[in-house]
Amino acid sequence: MRPGGGDPRGGPAAVGTAAAERAGHVYHCTPVEEFTSDRRFDLIMMMSIIEHVPDPGRVLRRMGELLTDDGVLVLKTPNTDTLDCRLFRKRNWGGYHCPRHFVLFTRDGLARLGARCGLRMAGSHYRQGPPPWALSVMAWMHDRRWITITAQRPAYQHWTYEPLTAVFAAFDFARAPLMPTAQMIVSFKRAR
């Protein structure tokens, strides 16, 4: 972004431009894979981003180029190697989040993509993923006409969403030591 709020590509300014600049933040309004910098970074965090891009390989290659030799890229993304995905995969698994999620991964699939992009997996772990459970169960309930979900009243605004999320947060907490959950955090380093 240009100081003053104008997008360098001629589009509208991002919301909060002036306030962010006054607070001393430096930011760029561009697709992440097109970001350029003479600097290299020790840490790049991409929380819930990689599943939203049409070419995850291009993004990972670019982020790898921006890392210092010892830098770490940390990603958080849905995990398809989980019980809820297996149960609801043929209908309405909440992690699909259509049409916003373009590409979804397993831990091993993400590791293979990273390797093709010049990165090596440095670590991974699973986190609670109650929203996919809640959304999956709500879609199942909607199919049976037990609840109604519409564009005017989406699942996130339905009264059942928060209680179901709380129940599945407890369930995920209990099962996390035994099996993968619907959210994973993966760290990559540049392959040497």
Side-chain angles (χ1 to χ4, degrees):
M1 291 298 285
R2 289 184 184 153
D7 186 317
R9 294 172 296 165
V15 175
T17 300
E21 289 174 347
R22 281 193 304 274
H25 297 286
V26 176
Y27 62 95
H28 302 268
C29 188
T30 186
V32 67
E33 62 272 23
E34 295 175 14
F35 174 73
T36 59
S37 174
D38 293 331
R39 296 180 60 202
R40 296 295 168 254
F41 299 90
D42 294 323
L43 175 65
I44 298 173
M45 296 181 68
M46 297 181 63
M47 309 311 267
S48 301
I49 294 175
I50 199 74
E51 66 273 15
H52 295 275
V53 300
D55 188 348
R58 185 173 174 215
V59 171
L60 290 182
R61 278 188 296 281
R62 183 67 192 130
M63 294 303 100
E65 293 167 358
L66 292 168
L67 287 174
T68 61
D69 288 342
D70 293 320
V72 178
L73 168 62
V74 178
L75 302 173
K76 177 175 125 346
T77 191
N79 169 37
T80 60
D81 183 22
T82 185
L83 176 63
D84 46 315
C85 184
R86 285 191 290 282
L87 291 173
F88 294 102
R89 97 171 341 123
K90 294 191 185 218
R91 183 66 181 133
N92 284 316
W93 180 53
Y96 289 145
H97 213 292
C98 295
R100 296 177 57 227
H101 288 176
F102 297 136
V103 182
L104 296 171
F105 300 93
T106 63
R107 178 197 171 280
D108 293 341
L110 190 54
R112 285 190 300 273
L113 177 62
R116 287 194 304 270
C117 297
L119 300 167
R120 65 175 172 83
M121 185 176 284
S124 68
H125 66 277
Y126 298 101
R127 301 285 308 221
Q128 286 182 324
W133 273 109
L135 295 171
S136 300
V137 169
M138 291 175 73
W140 182 83
M141 293 168 67
H142 175 80
D143 289 347
R144 284 152 185 73
R145 295 193 170 109
W146 296 352
I147 64 172
T148 301
I149 301 169
T150 65
Q152 294 74 35
R153 188 174 184 198
Y156 291 107
Q157 294 177 0
H158 196 277
W159 72 268
T160 58
Y161 178 73
E162 288 185 15
L164 284 171
T165 301
V167 165
F168 287 113
F171 177 67
D172 267 2
F173 183 75
R175 78 184 182 109
L178 308 172
M179 64 182 72
T181 55
Q183 291 290 326
M184 62 182 165
I185 297 179
V186 175
S187 59
F188 287 105
K189 295 188 115 192
R190 291 170 67 175
R192 298 204 193 229

